[in-house]
Amino acid sequence: MGPDGMVAAAEALAASGRSAEKLSLSSLQSKMKCDPEGYESELHLIYNQFNSSLELFQKQAAMSFTSVTGIGSDPTVAKDLGDRAMFLSHVTPFYPKHLADFPRKLADLLRCAARTLPSGLRCHLTHALILLANRKVVDVGETLSLFMELQTLGDRTLKKLAFDHVVHSIRRMNQKHKNEAKNRALQNVLFGLLQKEEEESAKRALVTLCELHRRKVWFDERTANAICTASFHPSSRIMIAALSFLLDYEKIQDDDDSDDSGSDDETNESPQVVLNRETLYKASHQGTAASKKKKKAKLQRAIRSMKKQQRMSSERTNNSYYSPLNHLKDAQGFAEKLFSRLKNCNERFEVKMMILKLIARTIGLHRLFVLDFYPFLQKYIQPHQRDITNLLAAVVQACHDMVPPDAVEPLFKQIVNQFVHDRSRPEAITVGLNAVREICMRMPLLMNEDLLQDLALYKKSREKAVSVAARSLIGLFRELCPSLLVKKDRGRPIDPKARPKAYGEVTVATDVSGVELLQTVDNDEQDGDHSDDSACSDSDNDQQNDPMSINDGDDDDHDDDDESQLCSDYTESDDDEAKGNDAISEDEDESYDFEAGDSAGDSDTDEDVDDKGDGNDEEDGDVSDHEEDGEHGYLSDGGNVETKSKLKDSAKKRKFTDFDGRIIAADTSLRALKKLAGAKVGDVLPESQDGILSNEDFQRIKKLKAKREAKNALAQQGLAKSSGIKVPTSDQLSLKRVDGAMLEVHVRKKMSKDERLALVRAGREERGKYHARTAVKQNKTGGLSNRQKEHKKKMPLAAKRDKVSRTRIEKKKKNQRSGKQFRGRKAWKQ
């Protein structure tokens, strides 16, 4: 402030009767907020000072004045201008008429002379404008372009300040309700900046759009398409930023979910117990009664935690999947344009991989036809190729059931030929087998019988990773097409005549998904009611004594019963295992021989069935009679003895040719009889139901699906019986994100030197510090050792004389050798 300003301020203060007070700007600001009308003269004084400083600075900026004594280089003048700007921005809401032009002047100053302003003054003026925007004196739409321009000045502090203000102001504007007209105007500003060829402005607009989209503020099609369109920007930096956001959006969502679920104790903490059959055995057989109880309690907590995690993950996956690529207006055009840019791209290999993965992700998500993409990938399919696992993951992602198998077959054969052969490394064979499994899960028509049988032979490999990959491929085709496998690899498939869908075949849904779970539960409840009333329940007890059986009830309260029964059932089954091995093996051999049989036996049975002709009705009647008897509990103990004796006699025959033999092979189990009868009747709703599901039914379906997922998770750990591999649907596979790390599961990676040293140091932490044995002996506080005691022990006289003579001879020989070089003792002189 100059001397004239000081005199004017003193005169104004004297006129207001406050000449003795020494008022600072902060104290004056607080008093003006309390009494706005009483301090209008002070407001005019400070506003005039700000205007004079502003006019002087604008004139010097217009003349490009850069003198040492100029305003631009004087720190005191810049500080006074910034302080008065902050002061006026604080009191503007209390003097809207007097300071109506102040926000416009402040914005014009920043817009015109922001690059020439000192850094401190520029930040002060930006703070003042942000304060006015927060007090809703200035609209966001008026200053958005200004704040986006401030981010391009190269000042890191100012960039962060302007970016945070833009994001927070738009979030606050859409917090209660969304004003579409206002949002559209703001989006047009950012979209215009994004389409500019100027790299810095387009980069800041893209970062702002991505942040608002990630925070789900602008979660619409326009923003998603604008981000996707940024992949075609001439600048490589902006293209890479857009590609990174689109590829890593699923990871961002996973991180957000993990942050939200951080408060859950059971889901966040990993179980302290490793769930396997050995742990179950130790909890039931090793230790005292108290330790067994503690081990069982730990197992129950671990199982409960696993079930909860699986339930939450299933609920998360069942929700509507979202990615910015979902909102593409022209997905086919986007993929083709991006592929043409990839073919003409001169960027480094990492950028090419990002473009390639984004094309594959788009093809798999929207089931597109880009047939030239698969031959393009063939030149990269080599085991020594850089980042080969992510490349194979992109190949898997680009395959779907709508692509013609002929277009993918050369690529598929190259993967098999390059990775899966006898001279390849185990790591390459594992990655190749896993890639083949994932591709066949999406396009099973690519596999033929000879190739599958050759790949199945790797199950005998000594490398664990290779054998696990081969067995997973066998397990997949047990569900998809068991006829392609060798007979011993088929196992016991649920549907021996299963075939993959033909190309273009579509399964039309005729019922609500998951309604079969309700029917299964209802049938199980009816079976439980009838089995409670029946007098004979030996076969049902055999199923209940299964060590790994998990009960699937309707209510969540049954989970604790399942967990507590898990350990007890395992104990009982171990006690009865030795007794029932012979009977079980006989039953399994009988049923296996009945199902498999010889070729001659199969032809004989076929001829017998054809000759019987009209005997089917009688057989159906027998089945219904057996079912009624079983339901009403008419089976007696004597009947069970008779059936057991029949089983022993039939074990010698090893072949059944009549329907009664099949019923006896089922061990006359009520549940097996019901399934046998239900196979002919078909799965239909009871007549009492009208086929309309209520809200309670949908809730039960949701709970039963979660329970089924939890049971599958326990089956993967070996804690429950698995019904085979659950093959996802094509819709689920298109939404699934394939990670390259999943293709090299169970592969042992070679540790680096730093990792080996860290492992060695970790093993030495429990050891004490190294000390020499002599030092340890010298610091010993106990008694003498046995050797020290022998030294002090008194020897007999003859022993002493012998020792003295030996020492004399040794000293004499040593003295003789010291005079001349000793070349060894001659053999004949000994």
Side-chain angles (χ1 to χ4, degrees):
M1 185 186 300
D4 297 336
M6 295 291 293
V7 172
E11 291 177 357
L13 289 174
S16 61
R18 291 185 291 272
S19 58
E21 293 188 43
K22 293 183 179 180
L23 295 177
S24 63
L25 288 179
S26 58
S27 59
L28 183 61
Q29 172 187 326
S30 60
K31 291 188 176 183
M32 289 176 73
K33 289 179 179 179
C34 297
D35 186 14
E37 297 178 357
Y39 288 88
E40 290 184 359
S41 58
E42 285 82 354
L43 175 68
H44 286 296
L45 173 64
I46 296 176
Y47 188 44
N48 291 332
Q49 292 175 359
F50 172 78
N51 287 330
S52 61
S53 301
L54 182 60
E55 290 176 2
L56 179 61
F57 182 81
Q58 288 177 349
K59 289 180 181 179
Q60 291 178 347
M63 297 171 60
S64 300
F65 184 72
T66 56
S67 174
V68 179
T69 59
I71 240 178
S73 60
D74 192 353
T76 57
V77 176
K79 185 176 183 304
D80 290 341
L81 184 60
D83 291 342
R84 278 159 179 75
M86 285 296 294
F87 174 82
L88 293 175
S89 63
H90 275 285
V91 298
T92 298
F94 301 94
Y95 300 97
K97 295 181 180 179
H98 300 82
L99 299 177
D101 295 336
F102 173 68
R104 180 184 56 79
K105 291 181 179 180
L106 195 61
D108 292 341
L109 176 61
L110 285 173
R111 188 175 287 109
C112 297
R115 295 186 180 274
T116 59
L117 286 174
S119 177
L121 178 60
R122 192 165 49 203
C123 288
H124 271 80
L125 297 179
T126 307
H127 271 292
L129 192 59
I130 289 174
L131 186 60
L132 292 174
N134 291 339
R135 300 287 178 84
K136 295 183 180 180
V137 179
V138 180
D139 192 16
V140 184
E142 299 174 0
T143 58
L144 179 61
S145 59
L146 173 61
F147 280 108
M148 295 304 298
E149 184 181 353
L150 290 176
Q151 298 180 37
T152 62
L153 298 181
D155 191 348
R156 185 174 297 179
T157 307
L158 185 64
K159 181 192 291 185
K160 186 177 185 307
L161 183 65
F163 174 73
D164 292 342
H165 167 67
V166 170
V167 174
H168 292 162
S169 59
I170 296 177
R171 283 187 66 190
R172 189 169 56 251
M173 183 182 70
N174 292 278
Q175 195 167 8
K176 293 183 179 179
H177 63 278
K178 292 189 177 183
N179 189 348
E180 292 298 335
K182 209 169 188 179
N183 283 327
R184 189 174 291 272
L186 297 177
Q187 287 174 354
N188 291 334
V189 174
L190 293 178
F191 294 167
L193 292 174
L194 184 60
Q195 293 174 359
K196 287 184 178 180
E197 294 185 359
E198 186 181 355
E199 183 176 339
E200 194 62 34
S201 300
K203 179 70 180 296
R204 299 315 305 170
L206 177 63
V207 171
T208 305
L209 286 173
C210 292
E211 182 67 17
L212 291 171
H213 193 75
R214 186 183 69 83
R215 293 177 179 268
K216 298 184 179 180
V217 179
W218 284 352
F219 208 59
D220 53 351
E221 295 183 1
R222 296 188 74 224
T223 308
N225 278 278
I227 295 172
C228 294
T229 310
S231 305
F232 309 120
H233 199 276
S235 174
S236 61
R237 288 181 58 195
I238 298 173
M239 178 188 69
I240 293 170
L243 293 175
S244 302
F245 178 77
L246 293 174
L247 289 174
D248 296 340
Y249 191 83
E250 290 88 352
K251 294 182 180 179
I252 293 172
Q253 279 191 329
D254 294 340
D255 294 339
D256 294 342
D257 294 338
S258 62
D259 294 339
D260 296 338
S261 62
S263 58
D264 298 338
D265 295 332
E266 293 185 1
T267 57
N268 195 15
E269 295 178 358
S270 59
Q272 301 294 328
V273 182
V274 180
L275 292 174
N276 51 26
R277 301 179 73 90
E278 183 181 358
T279 310
L280 286 174
Y281 180 83
K282 289 180 179 180
S284 304
H285 292 81
Q286 292 185 0
T288 60
S291 64
K292 289 179 184 178
K293 188 175 181 181
K294 290 181 181 179
K295 291 176 185 176
K296 290 179 181 179
K298 285 184 179 180
L299 280 175
Q300 291 176 9
R301 286 196 297 270
I303 293 172
R304 194 181 304 117
S305 175
M306 180 182 291
K307 284 185 175 182
K308 188 172 183 180
Q309 288 180 6
Q310 186 64 32
R311 193 180 302 120
M312 291 181 64
S313 64
S314 63
E315 289 177 357
R316 191 181 298 121
T317 53
N318 288 336
N319 292 335
S320 58
Y321 172 83
Y322 178 78
S323 172
L325 297 173
N326 284 357
H327 288 315
L328 283 172
K329 295 179 180 177
D330 183 13
Q332 184 73 30
F334 176 80
E336 291 177 354
K337 189 175 179 181
L338 204 59
F339 181 51
S340 64
R341 179 162 188 174
L342 174 63
K343 290 189 289 188
N344 301 323
C345 182
N346 294 325
E347 299 289 339
R348 61 185 189 272
F349 177 76
E350 291 84 356
V351 180
K352 289 183 178 180
M353 278 297 300
M354 293 173 70
I355 300 175
L356 191 144
K357 287 193 286 187
L358 184 61
I359 295 172
R361 188 82 185 96
T362 309
I363 291 173
L365 189 62
H366 293 276
R367 299 187 187 180
L368 304 178
F369 293 92
V370 187
L371 300 182
D372 295 338
F373 183 65
Y374 305 100
F376 178 80
L377 293 172
Q378 281 187 250
K379 60 182 179 181
Y380 295 104
I381 302 300
Q382 299 288 338
H384 59 272
Q385 175 66 41
R386 180 181 172 189
D387 205 8
I388 185 61
T389 54
N390 288 327
L391 185 64
L392 288 175
V395 172
V396 172
Q397 192 76 64
C399 295
H400 55 87
D401 55 351
M402 301 302 293
V403 179
D406 298 338
V408 191
E409 188 174 3
L411 178 62
F412 180 74
K413 287 184 178 180
Q414 183 165 353
I415 293 174
V416 175
N417 295 332
Q418 292 290 336
F419 286 86
V420 189
H421 55 85
D422 295 337
R423 296 194 177 186
S424 182
R425 291 178 297 136
E427 296 86 358
I429 296 175
T430 304
V431 172
L433 287 174
N434 288 330
V436 167
R437 184 195 70 237
E438 292 294 329
I439 294 175
C440 290
M441 191 181 296
R442 291 159 173 78
M443 301 179 66
L445 296 175
L446 290 173
M447 184 62 71
N448 54 41
E449 185 175 359
D450 296 334
L451 177 60
L452 181 59
Q453 292 177 6
D454 290 342
L455 297 179
L457 294 177
Y458 283 95
K459 69 178 181 179
K460 299 179 181 179
S461 175
R462 295 182 179 180
E463 294 289 336
K464 179 183 177 182
V466 177
S467 62
V468 168
R471 291 178 189 276
S472 65
L473 183 63
I474 293 172
L476 174 66
F477 276 92
R478 282 180 180 175
E479 300 293 327
L480 292 178
C481 188
S483 60
L484 294 180
L485 292 166
V486 184
K487 188 174 181 180
K488 62 180 180 181
D489 289 337
R490 294 176 189 172
R492 298 197 180 186
I494 299 175
D495 188 5
K497 297 181 180 180
R499 294 288 183 276
K501 294 181 183 178
Y503 176 68
E505 182 181 354
V506 179
T507 302
V508 180
T510 58
D511 208 341
V512 179
S513 63
V515 72
E516 68 276 1
L517 296 175
L518 290 177
Q519 300 175 10
T520 306
V521 170
D522 293 339
N523 293 334
D524 291 342
E525 289 178 353
Q526 293 177 4
D527 293 344
D529 296 338
H530 291 305
S531 63
D532 292 339
D533 298 336
S534 62
C536 175
S537 60
D538 292 339
S539 60
D540 292 335
N541 288 334
D542 292 338
Q543 293 179 356
Q544 293 174 0
N545 288 333
D546 190 355
M548 294 299 122
S549 62
I550 303 292
N551 186 18
D552 287 341
D554 293 338
D555 301 327
D556 294 335
D557 299 335
H558 294 171
D559 291 343
D560 298 334
D561 299 337
D562 297 340
E563 295 152 7
S564 60
Q565 192 176 1
L566 191 63
C567 300
S568 61
D569 289 347
Y570 189 83
T571 308
E572 295 173 1
S573 64
D574 287 337
D575 297 337
D576 298 337
E577 186 175 2
K579 299 178 182 179
N581 280 336
D582 299 334
I584 292 173
S585 61
E586 290 178 0
D587 294 341
E588 289 178 353
D589 292 340
E590 291 167 5
S591 59
Y592 179 79
D593 290 338
F594 174 70
E595 289 179 0
D598 300 330
S599 59
D602 293 337
S603 60
D604 294 339
T605 52
D606 294 338
E607 292 176 359
D608 293 337
V609 170
D610 295 333
D611 293 335
K612 285 183 182 180
D614 298 331
N616 294 330
D617 299 335
E618 297 177 359
E619 291 174 358
D620 295 340
D622 295 337
V623 172
S624 61
D625 294 338
H626 281 287
E627 182 177 352
E628 291 175 0
D629 294 341
E631 289 180 356
H632 294 287
Y634 291 154
L635 292 175
S636 60
D637 295 337
N640 282 330
V641 174
E642 291 177 0
T643 54
K644 289 180 180 178
S645 62
K646 288 180 181 179
L647 278 175
K648 291 181 180 179
D649 296 335
S650 60
K652 301 176 182 178
K653 298 179 181 179
R654 300 288 182 183
K655 188 181 292 185
F656 299 101
T657 57
D658 55 343
F659 192 74
D660 295 334
R662 181 175 292 187
I663 297 176
I664 295 173
D667 200 15
T668 64
S669 172
L670 181 62
R671 190 182 300 273
L673 289 172
K674 277 192 168 292
K675 288 182 179 179
L676 194 60
K680 293 187 176 183
V681 175
D683 294 333
V684 293
L685 288 173
E687 296 180 357
S688 59
Q689 297 184 6
D690 53 359
I692 299 175
L693 300 177
S694 62
N695 292 332
E696 291 78 7
D697 294 331
F698 283 107
Q699 293 295 328
R700 287 180 64 195
I701 290 174
K702 187 177 180 181
K703 289 181 180 180
L704 290 172
K705 284 183 178 180
K707 282 184 174 292
R708 184 176 60 183
E709 295 294 336
K711 186 175 181 180
N712 292 336
L714 291 176
Q716 291 178 359
Q717 300 290 333
L719 299 177
K721 287 185 176 180
S722 62
S723 59
I725 299 176
K726 180 185 176 183
V727 181
T729 62
S730 57
D731 295 334
Q732 293 174 347
L733 289 173
S734 64
L735 298 178
K736 182 181 177 183
R737 182 175 177 270
V738 182
D739 191 6
M742 63 178 289
L743 298 179
E744 46 184 359
V745 182
H746 302 294
V747 174
R748 276 184 160 183
K749 293 185 178 180
K750 188 177 180 180
M751 291 190 297
S752 63
K753 185 177 180 180
D754 295 335
E755 293 174 348
R756 291 197 302 269
L757 286 176
L759 193 62
V760 170
R761 292 193 185 99
R764 290 177 178 174
E765 290 178 355
E766 299 179 357
R767 298 182 186 176
K769 192 176 181 181
Y770 173 75
H771 295 285
R773 294 189 64 184
T774 55
V776 173
K777 289 179 181 179
Q778 290 175 0
N779 296 331
K780 188 175 181 181
T781 57
L784 300 176
S785 64
N786 292 336
R787 185 173 295 180
Q788 291 172 344
K789 290 177 181 178
E790 288 179 0
H791 280 294
K792 292 187 176 183
K793 189 183 295 183
K794 292 182 179 181
M795 293 186 294
L797 183 60
K800 286 183 179 180
R801 288 177 180 175
D802 186 32
K803 186 178 181 181
V804 170
S805 64
R806 274 190 282 110
T807 54
R808 283 178 184 173
I809 293 171
E810 289 178 0
K811 286 182 180 179
K812 186 177 179 180
K813 290 180 180 179
K814 190 175 182 181
N815 292 332
Q816 289 177 357
R817 295 169 188 166
S818 61
K820 57 183 178 179
Q821 185 178 6
F822 178 69
R823 297 185 179 180
R825 184 177 298 173
K826 302 295 184 182
W828 54 271
K829 287 186 178 181
Q830 291 181 355

